[in-house]
Amino acid sequence: MIRFSPRYLLRSLSLHTKLMVALAVLVALVAGTFAYFAAEHERERRLVALEQRATRIADLLSRSLAQPLWNVDRNAIDEQLAALAPNPEVIEFTVTAANYGIVSTIKGPHPNDPAGRVVRIRSIEYTPLGDAPREKIGEVRVVFTRAVAEQAIGAARGVILWTVAAFVAMLYVATFVLLKRMVYGPISRLEEMVDRIASGDFQARCIVESGDELGLLATRVNAMADRLHHSTTSLRINERKYRSIVENALEGIFLLDRCGRLNEANPAMARLLGYETPAELIAASAAASYSLPFSPAQTRKLFESLRVTGEIIGFELRLTCRDGTPIWVQLNARGASVIGGDPPFLEGLMTDVTARKRSMETLRRHRDQLEQEVAERKRTEVELLASRERLRQLSAHLEAIREEERKRIAMEIHDDLGQLLTALKMDVSLLRMQLANDSAASHKADGMRDLVEKTIGIVRNVASHLRPAALNFGLASALDWLAQDFRRHARIPCHFHLEGPEPRLPDACATAIFRIAQESLTNVARHANASRVDVTLCHTERGIELTIRDNGRGFDVVAARDGYSYGLLGMTERARLIDAQLHVESTADSGSVIHLHVGANSVSLLSE
């Protein structure tokens, strides 16, 4: 049984009917209210007029009956009352004398209704001649009924109601026609166009008939149709693009449900699993007794991973092709769009990584083998480093022994050979004194003395180069002697500069610095073709810095190192032995700068 509630009925009505019903209710309320208040106003007006008329008649009779009542002229009183008795509202006229009681009474046709009557009582006073005061001689009682006024009011109410009803009917008909012409018609045409647009006819357009709300609605419907046409065209283009991408994709694209059945697949997916068409793959997945290509365990694992992480990225699976060949695939997927709850489908892409998997296995084996070789090489490098360190220690030891041997040889040459040569010189001088002047023997003795003096110079020079005696007086003295010796032999101006206090260094450190400076000056003399050399020794809190600068032609430092320059190698090795830093800077035609820095910590360690 269908229950027709007011809300259901209201929903089932058309907009035109709803507007007319609303208008009818509104007009009925307004007209009824107006009629009610108009009738009430008329009723009040008539009742007030009745009361005013009763008051005027009572006042008139109180004045006109004064003389007849004084003279007790009943006929005159009855005549006056009878003259007013035909009034339809009259119920009763009564004249009462002060000393006699009721003098005259006239009743009208209406019954005496206490609830619906208007009563006016006035005193009748007589004014004697002269200055005598007025005297009350009686009273007149006027009683009117309201029934006649109520009847007239009812008739007026009917007229008002019929007038309002006629007006409402005319307004309703006029509004009905106008609404049907101005609202219902355009809305019907709008509905027709909207239905055509909804059915897919995006070329349909609404006619804009006015500039009101319906015209604006028609304009917006046309704009909506344009946007729908554009959106639908774009959607179709995108759908074709998407379909083309899916059909031509190299990766397998699929849609998997929770039962392990494939609902959708692209050609690449079918080819990957050994099927000719996606339809064959989907049919095989639906008809197989076990799920293809995913096993139940794999399906549960995929959906569980999706539930935990929200997506599946780089998941590798081992699947079986149609011919039983195992393959490895990499899967990227996410849940199909649903509102709330777990997604019922899994949509994703699948890539064949069998070759990559095999390559990774091969690479893993090669990596393990390479790791073994690297470990062996590291062990060999450690042994080589240890051997190099031992060689360096041996080199440092040999250098120390060499310097000690040079020192010993220099001292023996200086002390022993020098003393012998000095004694020989003295003997030659004594022999010369025994010979006659200008004799052949005297000339021979002079030549022998000159040879002995040259030999003494050569011995001193050899001893100085083996072990400069100036090193016994400090590094600064040794470098100053080296600069003077270089200037004397190379004929190149060489100046020594000392900045800061003279450093006190152990013999090994001072000897290494001196040898580096000596080798640098030797290279300048041989290759630089310089016209000036500056040797600077700087002693600061940061350590000791030795700088040798020339203005020669310069050289290619990288080529010299790659060419195994033994001078640079020796200087570098000597610097390493004292834990110093050696820097060589040189450019073509700009000279060279050799900078040696021995840190304060290194000086302290060497001193210890």
Side-chain angles (χ1 to χ4, degrees), residues 8-23:
Y8 176 79
L9 291 175
L10 190 60
R11 288 181 180 177
S12 62
L13 296 176
S14 64
L15 177 62
H16 183 260
T17 306
K18 291 178 181 179
L19 290 175
M20 294 307 302
V21 170
L23 179 63

Side-chain angles (χ1 to χ4, degrees), residues 342-359:
D342 295 332
F345 296 100
L346 184 72
E347 56 183 5
L349 291 88
M350 184 183 296
T351 306
D352 187 3
V353 294
T354 304
R356 189 181 71 184
K357 196 77 172 177
R358 293 172 182 171
S359 300

Side-chain angles (χ1 to χ4, degrees), residues 43-62:
R43 181 174 181 276
E44 291 295 331
R45 186 186 67 79
R46 289 179 178 271
L47 292 177
V48 168
L50 177 63
E51 292 180 355
Q52 291 176 352
R53 189 162 54 252
T55 301
R56 287 196 300 272
I57 291 174
D59 292 339
L60 176 61
L61 290 175
S62 66

